[in-house]
Amino acid sequence: KGTALNLSSKLDLSGKMFTFPQQTSTAHVKLSTTREDFSAVTACLRSFTDLSRNHILFSLATPSAANDFLLFKKAAAGQIEVYARDVTAVFDGQEYKLNAWLSVCATWDSASGLEQLWLNGKPSCRKFTSAGSNITGHTIITLGQEQDSHGGGFDAKQSFVGMISDVHMWDHVLSPCEISRYMDNLNFTPGNVLNWRELDFQIIGRVLLEEKQNICY
């Protein structure tokens, strides 16, 4: 039987994935960083799901903003929201396929206020959200649940069900070339805020850390 795990550690998760096997308002992975000031962000991950409803991909909250940096898949076909400083931009026409591994990156820069989404190597339009204000304060990052308050306010109907792997976060906007290297699983510079190869994380509830499945032909 599956068991609820409470695991806190710092590990090289190369070749592994977090499995979120059911819809809940509790199960999640908390990712730890000591950084409390960001003038720019790039976050990347790979995900696999069959959800057609609203669901969270990446949630970063501070005491002043529950949606300080957030990747959120809308129920509407092809729509992904990216929040920065509680302000959202909707990226439409995205080829968000179910039952397939997807590589997702999002960038934001406070100087220009511009965001951009990358999905499976394809860049989106660049859109304005929030400029002139850094992400500051105690940072809580969660996978599997969307924070409607700092570290909480979870809603099962926005939870993620599926698998997530290769989570990285940087304190700057990656170049298109570097994002392409991540997307193509080539050598890239690991995140300097979150690094999948040296990840400080805590599992709360029924989330499994498993070997990433590779299909043999």
Side-chain angles (χ1 to χ4, degrees):
K1 291 183 178 179
T3 56
L5 300 177
N6 283 282
L7 174 66
S8 183
S9 53
K10 194 168 188 176
L11 296 174
D12 180 352
L13 299 187
S14 298
K16 298 187 183 296
M17 63 184 183
F18 290 125
T19 297
F20 302 83
Q22 64 187 144
Q23 176 174 304
T24 77
S25 61
T26 53
H28 65 287
V29 178
K30 182 178 177 182
L31 306 180
S32 298
T33 176
T34 57
R35 295 288 302 274
E36 295 192 350
D37 189 0
F38 300 96
S39 61
V41 171
T42 301
C44 293
L45 58 85
R46 306 191 210 281
S47 63
F48 187 112
T49 187
D50 64 356
L51 293 175
S52 55
R53 60 162 169 78
N54 289 345
H55 59 274
I56 188 64
L57 292 170
F58 184 92
S59 175
L60 184 156
T62 62
S64 63
N67 298 325
D68 234 341
F69 192 75
L70 183 109
L71 280 69
F72 191 83
K73 176 63 181 73
K74 299 285 285 180
Q79 286 191 354
I80 299 176
E81 283 187 315
V82 180
Y83 282 79
R85 307 293 292 125
D86 267 347
V87 181
T88 186
V90 178
F91 296 93
D92 217 334
Q94 299 298 316
E95 295 178 13
Y96 192 87
K97 296 179 181 178
L98 302 186
N99 297 308
W101 280 105
L102 305 177
S103 296
V104 186
C105 291
T107 67
W108 167 77
D109 175 62
S110 67
S112 65
L114 294 182
E115 289 184 339
Q116 191 167 24
L117 178 73
W118 296 73
L119 181 61
N120 288 345
K122 295 181 180 179
S124 70
C125 295
R126 292 163 63 77
K127 295 191 176 184
F128 179 84
T129 51
S130 175
S133 172
N134 288 6
I135 296 171
T136 56
H138 177 232
T139 302
I140 296 179
I141 301 169
T142 58
L143 304 175
Q145 298 289 343
E146 195 264 321
Q147 301 174 75
D148 281 332
S149 60
H150 187 228
F154 301 151
D155 178 353
K157 293 178 181 177
Q158 296 181 337
S159 67
F160 179 84
V161 179
M163 293 91 81
I164 288 178
S165 185
D166 298 337
V167 181
H168 290 266
M169 177 176 162
W170 297 260
D171 63 358
H172 55 275
V173 173
L174 288 190
S175 69
C177 181
E178 195 74 11
I179 288 177
S180 293
R181 295 186 69 82
Y182 171 86
M183 296 274 171
D184 293 337
N185 252 325
L186 301 174
N187 287 331
F188 62 92
T189 304
N192 62 350
V193 180
L194 299 175
N195 177 358
W196 190 251
R197 301 166 197 167
E198 194 176 293
L199 197 66
D200 192 351
F201 66 94
Q202 182 181 8
I203 290 176
I204 298 95
R206 185 169 282 116
V207 182
L208 293 86
L209 179 60
E210 301 187 291
E211 294 295 322
K212 194 171 180 181
Q213 294 175 314
N214 292 310
I215 299 172
C216 298
Y217 294 97

